[in-house]
C-alpha cells in the first residue's frame, strides 16, 4: 500500500498514479449560441472524450519538435540549411500550434464531476469563505437536489489582522479584538450559507487556531502541551458557537471532532483543501481529514476531492471573469486527476452574492476572491489508497472529553 508520511517535519504529501489531463478552456454555459455543455458531455462516448486529450498531446509534441528544429536552424547558417531547416521548423511549429489550439477548443479539464441522488456532501473549509470560493456551485447543486449537506469550518479565520483593520477602520492587533473578528467571520459564514440555501444547523465550526494548525499537526500530540495561539493568546477553542468550546489545541482533539463528524454524517463525497495548497492551514486540514478517514472500512470510504486556493499567482487573470474557465496551475496540470464542475449563470451569480457576504475579506482582497467566480469549479480526485502516518502515533493520543 502506498503511504503518506506526515512526520514532525511534514506538511508535504507524496502522491502517485495520477492521470495527466490536458489544458482546456471550458465553453461558456451562458452563451445561447453554444451547445449546452452539460448535455454535450453527457452524450459523449468515453472514446470521444479522449479525443481532445490525444489532439492536445499530439499538438504539444509537434510544438516541441518545432521549437527544437527552430533552435537548430538558428545555429546553422549555410545557404542550404537556411532554406531547408526553416521551412521544416516553421511548418512543424504551425502544425503544433494548430493541433494544440484544436485540443484546447475541443476539450475541458478532465471529466465532469457529477452528484447523484444518493450522495451526502461534506464540505471541509479551512476558513470561512473557502467554502464559497471553491464549492459554492457544488453546495447549490446539492441543495437543489435535496441532498444532505454539511459544511465544516476548521478555524474561525481570526488571524488576518490587516483585513480586520481595514474592516474596522482602526488597527486590530489585541487578542480580544482578534477573537471578536473570529465571531464576525462566523456570522459572515452563516449569512453566506443562507444565500446558498444552507441553514445554520448544517454548519459546524471547530475553532482551531488560524494560521497555526500545521504547527499543531507537527508538534502538539500526546504528552506535548496544547498550542498557545500567538494571535488570540488561548490554548483551547474560545468560541461558544463552536462544536466543542474548550477543546484543547492538540492534534487528537481535532481527530476526535473529524472522526465524530464523518461517523455521524456518513458522507459519500468529501470536498477538502488540496495537499499542494501553499497555505499551511489548507495542507493541515487535508492531513487531519485524511487521518480521520484512516480506520473507515473500504466499502464505506467516501470519494475525496481536493480543491486549490493558494498557489503562486494562480488563478489568472485576477478579478471576476465568470465566462472563463478555471484551469489548474501549470506545475500541477499533468500531475493530478482534475475534474470540473460546470456552473450555470444562475449558480455563478448566487455564488458571487454569497461571496459578498464575507465582507471582512471581500473588501481586503476582492480581486483575488472573485478570481474563483468562473464558469466552473475545479477538483482533484484524490487517491484514497494512500495511508497516513500520524506524528507521535506511538504516544498516548487520548482526547479530552
Amino acid at each position: 500500500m502506498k503511504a503518506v508520511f506526515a512526520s514532525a517535519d511534514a506538511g508535504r504529501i507524496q502522491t502517485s498514479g495520477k492521470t495527466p489531463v490536458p489544458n482546456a478552456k471550458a465553453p461558456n454555459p451562458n452563451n445561447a449560441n453554444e451547445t449546452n455543455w452539460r448535455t454535450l458531455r453527457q452524450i459523449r462516448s468515453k472514446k470521444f472524450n479522449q479525443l481532445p486529450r490525444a489532439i492536445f498531446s499530439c499538438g504539444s509534441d509537434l510544438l516541441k519538435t518545432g521549437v527544437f528544429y527552430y533552435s537548430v536552424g538558428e545555429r546553422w547558417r549555410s545557404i542550404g540549411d537556411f532554406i531547408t531547416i526553416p521551412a521544416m521548423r516553421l511548418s512543424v511549429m504551425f502544425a503544433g500550434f494548430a493541433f494544440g489550439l484544436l485540443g484546447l477548443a475541443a476539450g475541458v479539464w478532465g471529466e465532469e464531476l457529477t452528484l447523484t441522488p444518493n450522495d451526502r456532501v461534506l464540505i471541509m473549509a479551512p476558513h470561512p469563505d473557502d467554502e464559497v470560493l471553491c464549492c459554492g456551485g457544488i453546495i447549490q447543486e446539492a441543495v437543489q437536489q435535496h441532498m444532505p449537506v454539511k459544511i465544516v469550518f476548521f478555524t474561525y479565520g481570526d488571524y488576518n489582522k490587516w483585513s480586520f483593520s481595514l474592516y474596522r477602520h482602526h488597527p486590530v492587533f489585541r487578542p480580544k479584538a482578534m477573537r471578536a473578528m473570529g465571531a464576525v467571520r462566523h456570522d459572515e459564514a452563516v449569512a453566506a450559507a443562507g444565500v446558498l440555501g444552507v441553514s445554520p444547523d448544517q454548519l459546524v465550526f471547530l475553532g482551531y487556531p488560524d494560521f497555526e494548525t500545521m504547527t499543531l499537526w507537527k508538534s502538539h500530540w500526546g504528552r506535548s502541551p496544547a498550542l498557545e495561539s500567538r494571535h488570540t493568546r488561548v490554548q483551547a477553542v474560545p468560541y461558544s458557537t463552536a462544536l466543542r468550546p474548550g477543546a484543547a489545541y492538540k492534534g487528537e482533539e481535532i481527530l476526535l471532532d473529524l472522526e465524530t463528524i464523518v461517523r455521524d454524517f456518513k458522507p459519500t463525497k468529501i470536498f477538502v483543501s488540496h495537499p499542494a495548497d501553499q497555505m499551511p492551514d489548507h495542507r493541515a486540514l487535508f492531513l487531519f481529514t485524511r487521518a480521520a478517514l484512516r480506520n473507515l472500512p473500504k466499502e464505506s470510504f467516501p470519494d475525496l476531492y481536493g480543491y486549490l486556493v493558494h498557489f503562486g499567482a494562480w488563478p489568472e487573470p485576477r478579478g471576476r471573469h465568470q465566462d472563463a474557465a478555471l484551469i489548474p496551475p501549470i506545475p500541477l496540470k499533468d500531475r493530478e486527476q482534475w475534474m470540473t464542475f460546470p456552473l450555470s449563470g444562475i449558480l455563478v451569480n448566487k455564488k458571487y452574492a454569497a461571496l459578498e457576504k464575507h465582507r471582512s475579506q471581500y473588501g481586503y482582497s476582492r480581486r483575488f476572491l472573485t478570481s474563483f467566480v468562473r464558469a466552473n469549479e475545479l477538483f482533484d480526485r484524490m487517491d484514497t489508497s494512500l495511508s497516513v502516518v500520524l506524528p507521535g502515533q506511538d504516544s498516548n493520543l487520548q482526547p479530552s472529553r
Side-chain angles (χ1 to χ4, degrees):
M1 176 182 288
K2 294 174 284 185
V4 175
F5 293 94
S7 58
D9 59 350
R12 297 179 181 177
I13 304 298
Q14 300 293 329
T15 61
S16 62
K18 296 298 182 75
T19 304
V21 185
N23 188 358
K25 182 176 180 181
N28 175 11
N30 298 318
N31 191 334
N33 295 324
E34 296 181 9
T35 305
N36 182 273
W37 190 13
R38 284 182 184 271
T39 304
L40 178 60
R41 290 190 62 78
Q42 289 172 356
I43 64 175
R44 282 178 172 174
S45 67
K46 183 176 181 181
K47 291 184 178 180
F48 184 77
N49 274 328
Q50 300 302 317
L51 181 59
R53 303 183 185 185
I55 293 174
F56 185 89
S57 178
C58 177
S60 177
D61 291 340
L62 282 171
L63 186 57
K64 292 175 183 177
T65 305
V67 171
F68 169 76
Y69 277 120
Y70 191 93
S71 62
V72 171
E74 289 299 314
R75 296 175 181 270
W76 294 2
R77 290 299 184 181
S78 68
I79 299 299
D81 290 332
F82 184 76
I83 294 173
T84 304
I85 297 299
M88 180 184 297
R89 73 192 186 208
L90 289 175
S91 62
V92 173
M93 286 186 72
F94 279 128
F97 277 120
F99 275 97
L101 291 173
L102 181 58
L104 286 172
V108 295
W109 269 105
E111 301 176 29
E112 182 178 331
L113 191 155
T114 57
L115 300 177
T116 65
N118 295 325
D119 273 330
R120 301 176 63 86
V121 177
L122 178 61
I123 309 294
M124 308 292 289
H127 313 96
D129 75 10
D130 290 319
E131 82 289 1
V132 177
L133 287 181
C134 299
C135 302
I138 285 283
I139 294 170
Q140 292 180 72
E141 183 73 14
V143 169
Q144 289 177 8
Q145 296 189 32
H146 305 288
M147 298 174 187
V149 177
K150 189 174 289 293
I151 305 174
V152 176
F153 296 94
F154 195 28
T155 75
Y156 275 61
D158 50 21
Y159 163 73
N160 195 343
K161 55 179 68 74
W162 303 112
S163 70
F164 299 161
S165 297
L166 181 63
Y167 178 79
R168 292 293 198 194
H169 305 291
H170 61 74
V172 177
F173 296 104
R174 294 179 182 274
K176 183 177 180 180
M178 302 286 276
R179 295 195 296 271
M181 284 307 304
V184 168
R185 296 200 68 181
H186 167 277
D187 294 345
E188 290 174 347
V190 172
V195 173
L196 299 177
V198 178
S199 62
D201 63 348
Q202 295 172 274
L203 310 180
V204 178
F205 294 85
L206 301 184
Y208 290 102
D210 188 13
F211 213 70
E212 297 177 283
T213 54
M214 182 55 78
T215 301
L216 199 156
W217 166 269
K218 293 177 182 179
S219 307
H220 295 272
W221 297 83
R223 296 184 179 89
S224 298
L227 179 145
E228 180 177 332
S229 171
R230 294 171 296 166
H231 317 294
T232 59
R233 297 300 180 187
V234 295
Q235 293 181 294
V237 176
Y239 301 105
S240 62
T241 52
L243 177 66
R244 285 196 304 134
Y249 285 169
K250 300 192 67 176
E252 54 267 32
E253 302 292 339
I254 296 177
L255 276 188
L256 172 63
D257 288 346
L258 297 183
E259 288 172 344
T260 301
I261 291 167
V262 170
R263 182 181 64 248
D264 293 347
F265 185 65
K266 297 179 176 58
T268 60
K269 285 183 170 64
I270 296 179
F271 298 86
V272 64
S273 45
H274 198 282
D277 200 293
Q278 294 172 346
M279 171 67 74
D281 286 332
H282 289 232
R283 297 196 304 274
L285 179 56
F286 174 83
L287 288 168
F288 278 111
T289 300
R290 191 61 190 84
L293 301 175
R294 70 195 186 284
N295 293 325
L296 285 181
K298 185 176 181 181
E299 59 273 12
S300 61
F301 207 97
D303 294 331
L304 194 63
Y305 299 93
Y307 59 79
L308 194 64
V309 179
H310 303 281
F311 197 88
W314 183 87
E316 295 180 308
R318 291 293 170 90
R320 185 178 180 182
H321 301 278
Q322 67 182 58
D323 293 334
L326 185 65
I327 61 177
I330 292 175
L332 299 181
K333 69 183 181 68
D334 292 333
R335 291 170 42 194
E336 316 296 338
Q337 189 175 333
W338 295 104
M339 304 187 74
T340 186
F341 185 77
L343 306 183
S344 67
I346 294 175
L347 295 183
V348 170
N349 291 334
K350 190 170 287 189
K351 175 175 178 174
Y352 179 73
L355 188 58
E356 288 184 306
K357 295 297 182 180
H358 289 281
R359 292 180 54 220
S360 65
Q361 306 307 299
Y362 188 83
Y364 176 73
S365 51
R366 176 170 55 186
R367 291 191 70 250
F368 173 70
L369 297 179
T370 55
S371 300
F372 292 88
V373 181
R374 298 290 180 95
N376 66 300
E377 291 173 342
L378 194 66
F379 303 97
D380 176 18
R381 182 161 187 171
M382 311 304 298
D383 186 351
T384 55
S385 67
L386 300 173
S387 61
V388 176
V389 177
L390 299 178
Q393 66 172 359
D394 296 329
S395 302
N396 181 25
L397 302 182
Q398 295 298 322
S400 61
R401 300 291 176 175

